[in-house]
Amino acid sequence: MPKPGDLVQVTRAASVQFVEPIRCRVVRVLDWITYDGWVWLDVYQLDGRGDAVARRSIFVRPAGLRVLRPASAPRPTPGRRAATDA
């Protein structure tokens, strides 16, 4: 299952509507009711340079998606040290 931030390639393996493959950055997996093995994704479609050109909701089979780059793990924020009385 894709995760927000994943860069994926969507082809006919994911849905027959994608005759021409597209690259997308996953925004979120929608919790809409659907057929078993299918999912709605909210994505940004990317151009050849990796810039977002459209925001779309697409209906795909996650098993047919090709993850090009998984979302990077969030960086831990440095903890604050509690001030101590001297």
Side-chain angles (χ1 to χ4, degrees), residues 7-86:
L7 177 64
V8 296
Q9 184 174 36
V10 185
T11 65
R12 288 189 75 127
S15 178
V16 295
Q17 66 182 319
F18 297 102
V19 175
E20 294 294 323
I22 63 172
R23 287 185 318 143
C24 298
R25 169 104 32 224
V26 176
V27 176
R28 64 185 170 145
V29 179
L30 299 166
D31 60 354
W32 298 347
I33 297 172
T34 184
Y35 296 105
D36 189 38
W38 291 79
V39 66
W40 280 97
L41 298 178
D42 198 10
V43 301
Y44 284 114
Q45 183 175 341
L46 307 176
D47 64 11
R49 296 184 323 179
D51 295 327
V53 294
R55 186 163 181 169
R56 301 175 63 174
S57 294
I58 59 174
F59 186 57
V60 295
R61 292 181 312 133
L65 295 174
R66 182 172 160 225
V67 177
L68 301 174
R69 186 171 56 227
S72 56
R75 291 185 187 170
T77 56
R80 293 180 126 179
R81 289 180 56 155
T84 57
D85 293 327

